[in-house]
Amino acid sequence: MILWEALGSVLIGLAIAYGASRWRPRRLPARPLVLSTGSGGALFGALLAHTVLGPGNSAAVLIVALGFAAAMLSLLIRPAGRSRRRRSVTA
């Protein structure tokens, strides 16, 4: 059963990463990095959830995998434009 959860979580991670790279291609780095981050984050989330929840909670494991993939992909997002912050000089 854990094999199907792992395979499902990797597919979920790839799907969310592919969707993110198609939706905001300029705000994310290269597509191979995005795809590997999405699938790796989902797999890590699924394994962690399976360890905590135990066997028999496949739906919850896949939902946690989706959340981990989204969280990992959010770390890759670059700012939209140049920041116009002014440097403040403190004496």
Side-chain angles (χ1 to χ4, degrees):
M1 192 61 141
I2 191 168
L3 178 68
W4 292 112
E5 290 174 355
L7 182 62
S9 67
V10 168
L11 291 176
I12 286 172
L14 284 174
I16 196 170
Y18 181 75
S21 67
R22 296 276 298 174
W23 184 45
R24 298 282 186 192
R26 294 182 184 188
R27 305 244 342 240
L28 290 168
R31 186 170 286 176
L33 177 64
V34 172
L35 293 176
S36 63
T37 301
S39 60
L43 182 62
F44 178 71
L47 292 176
L48 184 67
H50 183 80
T51 301
V52 171
L53 299 174
N57 295 314
S58 296
V61 167
L62 293 177
I63 290 171
V64 171
L66 177 75
F68 263 78
M72 294 299 291
L73 288 172
S74 72
L75 296 174
L76 295 178
I77 295 177
R78 291 184 230 155
R82 290 186 176 181
S83 178
R84 295 184 180 216
R85 294 183 190 174
R86 293 183 181 177
R87 289 186 175 178
S88 61
V89 179
T90 56

